[in-house]
Amino acid sequence: LDAIREALEPIAKDVDDRFEADASHQGHREEHLAALVLRGALLQHAKRDDAAALALLRTALLVYDDSDALSDPWARPFAEYELGMIHLRARRYDLALKHLRAARDAPNGYSFDKSLNFRAHEAYDALKKHLKTLGRGVDDDDDDDDLKNVEQRVRAELAATESQIRDAEANEKVNES
């Protein structure tokens, strides 16, 4: 993992630098988005630093939402899936369901959509079964009130992790020195 991380860091730094220099350039935005999702996914799979993974993946969603038509909208569903898996591991089941549902229900047409859709369906269904054994039902209908509550919690988490993002980036720069 460390070797992969060391290989990705210079690429991610280069991408981040180009994006900061010209955030309006759509190509740089897509590269930046890819670097955020890949770094977040790597940390999520390594199960090493969930706070940094959450910060990277949430930032990816913000960059995605701030982007105009991307050449391939793969980043949002993949980031949603990885966020869902982090929340699942942390037993934050409501947030896990929200993110896995978003990944599962993403429109088709992005790269590797079938593969991700299958994984998201499997994780979502397994979590529903687990919650049923715990005596908790899962409403598959996206009730507007529930979505608003989840959105408010997610926005609150995003606000709380802004400092974590800055800290993670500062730590990366210190480690590079």
Side-chain angles (χ1 to χ4, degrees):
L1 174 67
D2 290 333
I4 294 170
R5 192 174 198 178
E6 286 176 24
L8 279 179
E9 287 309 313
I11 296 166
K13 182 180 178 346
D14 183 48
V15 167
D16 291 346
D17 290 346
R18 283 199 311 269
F19 175 70
E20 288 175 14
D22 186 8
S24 65
H25 188 277
Q26 198 67 7
H28 294 167
R29 183 172 299 275
E30 290 193 38
E31 289 176 358
H32 181 64
L33 190 55
L36 289 168
V37 173
L38 292 173
R39 289 159 56 197
L42 178 65
L43 289 173
Q44 188 282 120
H45 285 278
K47 299 175 182 143
R48 285 227 180 142
D49 190 351
D50 283 350
L54 285 168
L56 289 163
L57 294 164
R58 288 176 179 147
T59 302
L61 292 179
L62 292 174
V63 170
Y64 182 91
D65 289 344
D66 193 40
S67 299
D68 295 327
L70 299 171
S71 63
D72 184 353
W74 68 273
R76 173 168 276 292
F78 275 87
E80 294 281 8
Y81 175 79
E82 299 298 344
L83 284 166
M85 297 309 290
I86 292 169
H87 289 300
L88 178 61
R89 190 171 53 249
R91 295 189 171 125
R92 293 185 294 263
Y93 297 130
D94 291 339
L95 288 171
L97 285 168
K98 176 206 179 272
H99 289 292
L100 291 172
R101 185 182 295 131
R104 179 196 71 182
D105 296 343
N108 293 335
Y110 56 90
S111 296
F112 303 107
D113 60 348
K114 304 290 187 264
S115 171
L116 181 66
N117 188 275
F118 176 77
R119 289 187 299 160
H121 268 285
E122 289 296 310
Y124 185 82
D125 291 344
L127 178 54
K128 278 179 35 178
K129 286 178 188 172
H130 175 67
L131 291 175
K132 189 174 183 177
T133 64
L134 295 176
R136 288 183 56 191
V138 175
D139 182 11
D140 277 330
D141 296 328
D142 286 342
D143 185 46
D144 286 341
D145 291 337
D146 289 342
L147 280 180
K148 287 178 186 172
N149 291 335
V150 170
E151 271 184 40
Q152 287 174 348
R153 283 195 306 252
V154 170
R155 289 190 190 283
E157 283 185 33
L158 280 172
T161 59
E162 285 178 352
S163 65
Q164 290 176 337
I165 294 169
R166 287 190 293 273
D167 291 345
E169 289 173 349
N171 286 339
E172 286 179 15
K173 289 179 182 177
V174 168
N175 290 338
E176 289 175 2
S177 300

